Amino acid sequence: MAFSSIIEILKVGDIRSGVGKTGKPWQMQEAECILRDQDGGVVQVGVLDVPRDLIDNLRPGVYTASFTLSAHYQSRKIGAQLVALTPLPARAPVKPATSA
């Protein structure tokens, strides 16, 4: 079962890499994001782990983010995992009301 949210990616971090205790190489990247409600209002600000298939391919913008639940490979804690991003069209800026 997948669920979705509107997120705005503000900044994509540098790719970090290394070798784990088992000798297996790893890469990771994080993105600073705003979680938005359906009207575009700010709900929360946080950091999103970029999935392997999107590392070095993610750009700032507004997206519908699709998530699924799965267990973390080390801690086994169940949490949301990003599985897809669909760009949303840019919204026109809201113009302030003028007095007559």
Side-chain angles (χ1 to χ4, degrees), residues 80-99:
Q81 300 294 318
L82 179 65
V83 292
L85 286 173
T86 305
L88 290 176
R91 292 184 181 206
V94 177
K95 295 183 180 180
T98 57
S99 56

Side-chain angles (χ1 to χ4, degrees), residues 61-76:
V62 180
Y63 299 87
T64 297
S66 297
F67 297 89
T68 189
L69 295 176
S70 64
H72 187 271
Y73 74 98
Q74 285 180 321
S75 69
R76 298 186 21 204

Side-chain angles (χ1 to χ4, degrees), residues 33-65:
C33 302
I34 298 173
L35 178 60
R36 297 200 174 269
D37 61 23
Q38 292 298 327
D39 298 321
V42 175
V43 175
Q44 216 169 17
V45 176
V47 176
L48 182 67
D49 290 333
V50 176
R52 273 183 232 143
D53 59 325
L54 292 177
I55 288 178
D56 204 28
N57 293 314
L58 199 55
R59 303 291 172 254
V62 180
Y63 299 87
T64 297

Side-chain angles (χ1 to χ4, degrees), residues 11-19 25-32 48-59:
K11 181 178 186 269
V12 180
D14 294 333
I15 297 172
R16 294 181 286 176
S17 61
V19 178
W26 57 268
Q27 273 191 326
M28 72 173 294
Q29 189 174 33
E30 296 175 328
E32 295 180 33
L48 182 67
D49 290 333
V50 176
R52 273 183 232 143
D53 59 325
L54 292 177
I55 288 178
D56 204 28
N57 293 314
L58 199 55
R59 303 291 172 254

